[in-house]
Each structure stands twice: as C-alpha cells, then as structure tokens.
Amino acid sequence: MSSVIRLLPDHVANQIAAGEVVQRPASVVKELLENAVDAGATSIKLVIKDAGKTLIQVIDNGKGMNEIDASMCFERHATSKIASAEDLFRLQTKGFRGEALASIAAIAHVELKSKEHENELGTHVIIEGSKVVSQEVAVVPNGTSFSIKNLFFNIPARRNFLKSDQVELRHVIDEFERVALAHKDIQFTFINNGSEMFHFPASNYRQRIVNVFGGKTNEKLVPVQESTEIVEIHGFVAKPEYAKKSRGEQFFFVNDRFIKSGYLHHAVTAAFEGLLKDGTHPSYFLYLNLPPNSIDINIHPTKTEIKFDDEQALYAILRATVKHSLGQFNVSPVLDFQKDADLEVPYSYEGTKSVEPTIEVDTFYNPFESMKSGNTLASQIGSDISRGNFNPFENIKSKSSGFGGSSSGNSFQEKKHKSGGWETLYEGISDAKEIILTSNHQFEEEVITGSLFDEDVQQSNSGQQSYQVQKKYIISPIKSGMIIIDQRRAHQRILYEHYLQSFAVKQNSSQQLLFPLSLYYTAYEMELLKEIEAELIQMGFLFEEISNEKLVISGIPVSITESEVSIVLEDLLNDLQDNLPDDVPVLHDRIAKSLALSLAVKTGTYLTDKEQENIVNSLFGCENPQTSPFGKTTFITMKVEDIDKKFM
C-alpha cells in the first residue's frame, strides 16, 4: 500500500501561502506601503493601473537594499526585523521586509530596483512566478521601487473572484488613506491610471485629516488628548451634528498601525450617548500609544486586530477622554452655566471689603439764581425754595391765574371738574373710524381658506375613502372588504418605478435653483459622482462644477427639495461605493432603489386625505404593486367574511 502523505512542491506551497496574504490588489498595496515606511522613507509614491490588476508600483526614498538583501527578500520566512521569538512581543515596525514578498512574487511579475544611499550602483531584479529571471547591477535612484504586474496571472480562478475596478479601487484607496493618516511626517502621492488622485504633503495630524477628507472637515473636528500610565490618546472626533449614516470615517491607530476593534468602537459611541440621531454613526480619528509588550498584533493574518492586556481599563479611559473633550469644547451639555467674565470678581480684589459710596448735597444751591431779575415769578419761586416755603399749588387755588392769565374759568381745577373721566380720552374716535370706513377708498382683501385646495375639490373629497392608522398604514374599503397599505413601502414602489421610467425616456423635469448649491466630498466620492454623472442628469440634476472635492448643483429634480439633496446624494454614494455595477440597466436599478429608499415617506408621517388618495391610486397604477422594490409586501386584503369571524 502506497503512502498518501507527501510534500507539496515549492511553487504550489508558495501559491497557497500567497492566498493567505494576497487576497486582492489592496493587500499588495498595504504590504508595500508598510515596507516603505519601515525603510525610513520621507516620500512615498503609489502608482496603479486598472485598480491594481495590471500594475502596482510603490516608489520610496528610504534606505534601500544591497545586492544580497535584494535577492534574499523574496525567500520564504526571510526578514530583517526578527532574530528570536521574543522579538514578536517587542515589535515597533509595521511588517517585516520580505515577509509577504515571497507570496507576491509567486502570483505576479515582480520588478525590484533598489539602492542604498552610500552606494553608487543599485540592484535590478526581475521575478516571474517565484522564478528569478534576471538580477544585475544597475543605475537606479536612492531607495526602493517595487513594480507588481499582472497580479494572479498564474491563478486565473483567483483573478475571477476580484470585483469590478471601481470596487477594487475603493479598497486600494482605503489602504492608502490608512497608511497616510498614520504617518503625517511622510509625503504621499497616489497616481491612478496616469492622473494624480491624491497628494499629501508632510504636515500635522489635523492637516493630514483635512487633506484626506476635504477642506470642510476642519470645522467638524474636536481635539482629543489624554496621557495616562496605561495609554496615551490623541486625535480628533467629529461633532455630533456631522454624524453620518455610514461608518466610513472611523479610524483607530495603535502605535501608528491601523486596527479594527469593536470593543473600542463601543467606548467611543458610548461617549456620544444622547448626542446622535438614530441611525447615525460618529466619525473619529484616534491615535493610541501603548507599550509594545502590552499588546499582541499577531492574532490576525492582516494585523488589523490587536489583543490588549487590560481592555477594561482602556475602554474606561477612552470613553472618559472622548466625553471630556466633547464637554470641554461645548459640544455636549454640561452642568456649569456660561458666566460673563466681566461679572467675575478679580482674584486681586478677593477678600477686600466694599466701600459704600458717599453723596454730598449742596443745600444752598439755587437753580433760579441765574435768571433775570425782571422775571418776578421766577425770583419769587427761587426765594421761596431757598426759604423752604415754596408751595406749587398756591397759585392754582387762587381765582386769578398765577401765570398772568385771565380768570375766565380755564384753570386746571375747572377743567378737572368738567372732565367726565378717562372715557373722554376716546371721544371722537368712533366717528373717525366711521369716516374711514365710509370713504370712497377700496382695499384688496385676501380670502383666507382653511385648505390648500379649492372648495369644489373639498366637496368632492367629502366622502372620504381612505383612513390613516398609527401614521403607518392606509386603510381603504373595497367591495369584498378592505385593503391595508404600508404607506412607506407603497411610496417606495411608486418612486422606484417613476425613476426607472425617467431612465427609460432619458429625461426628467428639473427645477432651477436661485442660488447654486455647493457640496463637498472626498476625492473618491467625487470620482464616483463623475461615473454616474450621466444618470444623475437624466434624473433632473444640473451641475455647474465637479472638481476634486467640490460639487456645485444648479438644478434638481422636481420631486426633490433643496434640503433633501445632500441626504439623497450621501445615501446614493453609500450604496454604490462598495459595488458600482458595470451593466447600465443594473446601475439604473441600484440608483432608483437608493432614491426610493431615501425619499419615501417615513413611518410616523401624517398624510392628508389627498395624499392618502394619491398613494392608493398611484400604487395600483404600478406594474408590480404587490411588493416594494426590496421584495417586501406593500398591502394586504381582508374580506368581510374574515372580519365577521373575529366577532363570532
């Protein structure tokens, strides 16, 4: 009986190992970028073609490799970072130079050019499917250049599992942004299909985040800073009003290495408790520095998951730090009231007694002293005031006027007796009103009605045929009983078929905006919008400008309000960024579904009788009224017999 266990050939073993390291072009990008960082580069350039399927090139100005290292780096289990097993728990670098290069060389055409700074000549190596085609001395610039061509050329089955170029490009950009965000001191350049897509100069953390996600990001950021014996935390969180429906802008970096941690993510979301709307997620860019011996980074093949020694303490510190930052910058509610600094007592006056102000009165002051001597009344009053014998009512009581007037009964006292009280103040006003109303002037009057519809429309709808229940369902009677319609699902079906019809006729009505609307997106999102620009124009959107990060809209579809534009486009980008279909009908279907989901009437919305009637009539005018665009039931019927059985 022959044995059944045998050793695999080296080329087969290399291909199997490559499957663990290289899942898609983004995996190669990650390994090469991290190796360039470990090489001490200050400038890194990434060049790709066809989302990395045809070419992935990483050029750095790091320390480079000599002729021996250039050949050894493609050997399996060859590294310059580890000498013993204990070194695994003291790692300070991203990866090991040559850790994944053997796997990459087994499934692609690899070209390496590298030179150390102190040497005049470098090394040029060409490998195809783990076989060294050539290795020679060459004149090359300082640093290292890796060119990975025709990925998975010898494994067609693995290549068939790759997604579309747009999806693979999204993964490449994700890896590029993660490395760029972790290393602010390095200049990064990204060239896609011959055009520069990103250029990040060396800067600080805040500026790097703004460069990656657009200029409008700066106003969203709240700084986070804390230093303890366990961990040092710094970075930024976004203000709650800028929370998004997707989880795209959420980054944890531990010792400058991007990680994913649901446990730490829960700590951040707990700090935002009570500040976020339902269905939204906070954005954060947090950098954690821990002792290397307190973490284990080798629990996951891609090193995106880390095991911490004391997770509970780290959770508590992170949650308290983020919550403190939100309160410190007046983002979250606090108990202290805002105080006016002008009302505060300076510390230099603390403990001193207040001095009561003194008032000095000149008892000999006479305000009438400067009057002319011919004015006898003023002189008399002045002398009386000085003697303290002044009586202001003395002259009023006399029959003759103290001011030189006649005694014809016009004194204040006589007028007081003639007055009939405060009612006399309004005498004659009614007459004036009658004069105004009876004049020949004519005024236009606005007829105020209680409804937006005309009276004949109201009378025609007086026999109501539908009713809304719990602001969720519409009940409408039919001959055999009644139908119960889910208003949101029904509206989704109506909008879905409406937008598909717009794509079919290749035109839709548009309304011009008085002031163009400017929206800001990341570079990748702008590329995605350019891909679907033709479809958006067919729906009724009009664009004035589509730049690298700015979108200017001058017209919108009639069915969309200006306040809904940003929400609709954000939902559309979230739905398409993971998989942009190459087939045009499939793309139209995805866009129609996304818009229908965003614009459909929400559960809990009150509908007028007219709106209920429109939904009922429009639903049964659809080609497939039974289900929503997502395959869910839109309505059910209940016969009279079924209702009668409930009362038996």
Side-chain angles (χ1 to χ4, degrees), residues 181 209-210 212-213 216-224 234-253 258 264-273 275-277 279-287 318 322-323 325-326 331 522 525 570 574 577:
L181 288 172
I209 295 172
V210 172
V212 173
F213 296 100
K216 286 293 182 179
T217 309
N218 187 38
E219 62 188 29
K220 306 176 184 178
L221 300 179
V222 175
V224 176
H234 65 93
F236 302 90
V237 295
K239 297 178 182 178
E241 57 265 29
Y242 296 104
K244 293 188 174 183
K245 294 183 179 180
S246 63
R247 299 186 179 183
E249 299 178 2
Q250 296 180 345
F251 295 88
F252 280 116
F253 298 95
F258 172 78
L264 297 183
H265 170 76
H266 189 275
V268 176
T269 55
F272 279 87
E273 184 178 1
L275 300 176
L276 299 176
K277 297 180 181 178
T280 59
H281 306 277
S283 300
Y284 52 82
F285 311 88
L286 297 175
Y287 301 82
L318 181 60
V322 174
K323 197 161 189 174
S325 296
L326 294 175
V331 176
T522 63
E525 290 173 337
E570 182 181 347
N574 291 334
Q577 67 177 353

Side-chain angles (χ1 to χ4, degrees), residues 37 64 74 83 112 189 199 203 229 249 268 293 321 358-359 387 426 505 538 542 608:
V37 172
F74 293 102
L112 168 63
T189 305
H199 179 72
S203 59
E229 296 180 355
E249 299 178 2
V268 176
N293 56 1
T321 300
T358 58
I359 301 176
R387 292 193 303 267
Y426 300 93
V505 299
Q538 291 181 14
L542 298 178
T608 63

Side-chain angles (χ1 to χ4, degrees), residues 167-454:
V167 176
E168 296 300 335
L169 177 62
R170 172 72 263 179
H171 289 285
V172 171
I173 293 176
D174 286 341
E175 296 295 345
F176 178 79
E177 290 178 347
R178 291 167 182 173
V179 177
L181 288 172
H183 304 279
K184 59 180 177 57
D185 298 326
I186 302 177
Q187 174 182 298
F188 287 90
T189 305
F190 185 8
I191 298 177
N192 176 35
N193 292 333
S195 61
E196 185 178 284
M197 194 171 184
F198 296 103
H199 179 72
F200 305 144
S203 59
N204 54 34
Y205 285 111
R206 190 185 193 105
Q207 187 61 44
R208 177 56 56 87
I209 295 172
V210 172
N211 290 338
V212 173
F213 296 100
K216 286 293 182 179
T217 309
N218 187 38
E219 62 188 29
K220 306 176 184 178
L221 300 179
V222 175
V224 176
Q225 183 73 37
E226 186 62 52
S227 178
T228 65
E229 296 180 355
I230 299 177
V231 61
E232 292 183 1
I233 303 174
H234 65 93
F236 302 90
V237 295
K239 297 178 182 178
E241 57 265 29
Y242 296 104
K244 293 188 174 183
K245 294 183 179 180
S246 63
R247 299 186 179 183
E249 299 178 2
Q250 296 180 345
F251 295 88
F252 280 116
F253 298 95
V254 175
N255 296 350
D256 293 336
R257 182 193 299 272
F258 172 78
I259 68 162
K260 297 178 181 179
S261 175
Y263 192 68
L264 297 183
H265 170 76
H266 189 275
V268 176
T269 55
F272 279 87
E273 184 178 1
L275 300 176
L276 299 176
K277 297 180 181 178
D278 293 337
T280 59
H281 306 277
S283 300
Y284 52 82
F285 311 88
L286 297 175
Y287 301 82
L288 287 71
N289 294 325
L290 293 93
N293 56 1
S294 65
I295 58 176
D296 185 1
I297 64 174
N298 293 302
I299 64 173
H300 194 273
T302 60
K303 297 181 176 62
T304 56
E305 296 182 7
I306 290 181
K307 182 179 180 181
F308 301 96
D309 284 350
D310 194 350
E311 288 186 341
Q312 295 182 352
L314 188 60
Y315 179 97
I317 294 173
L318 181 60
R319 179 180 180 273
T321 300
V322 174
K323 197 161 189 174
H324 173 72
S325 296
L326 294 175
Q328 183 179 5
F329 290 90
N330 295 328
V331 176
S332 63
V334 293
L335 295 177
D336 296 333
F337 296 95
Q338 294 183 355
K339 297 180 180 180
D340 190 351
D342 296 335
L343 301 179
E344 295 289 335
V345 178
Y347 290 108
S348 59
Y349 291 96
E350 188 176 2
T352 59
K353 296 182 179 179
S354 59
V355 180
E356 296 183 1
T358 58
I359 301 176
E360 296 182 0
V361 179
D362 186 5
T363 57
F364 299 99
Y365 174 71
N366 184 3
F368 303 99
E369 194 171 323
S370 61
M371 290 186 178
K372 296 181 180 180
S373 58
N375 192 339
T376 58
L377 178 61
S379 301
Q380 181 65 29
I381 293 175
S383 60
D384 290 343
I385 291 176
S386 62
R387 292 193 303 267
N389 298 326
F390 175 69
N391 185 357
F393 301 101
E394 185 175 355
N395 292 329
I396 297 178
K397 294 180 179 179
S398 61
K399 293 183 179 180
S400 61
S401 175
F403 296 94
S406 64
S407 59
S408 59
N410 292 329
S411 65
F412 176 80
Q413 187 71 16
E414 291 177 352
K415 287 186 178 181
K416 183 177 179 182
H417 288 294
K418 289 182 180 180
S419 175
W422 60 269
E423 295 87 349
T424 58
L425 297 175
Y426 300 93
E427 290 180 355
I429 293 181
S430 59
D431 298 336
K433 182 179 179 181
E434 292 176 358
I435 294 173
I436 294 176
L437 295 177
T438 57
S439 64
N440 295 327
H441 296 285
Q442 296 181 356
F443 300 93
E444 294 183 358
E445 294 185 359
E446 181 181 358
V447 179
I448 301 176
T449 61
S451 174
L452 297 176
F453 305 100
D454 297 333

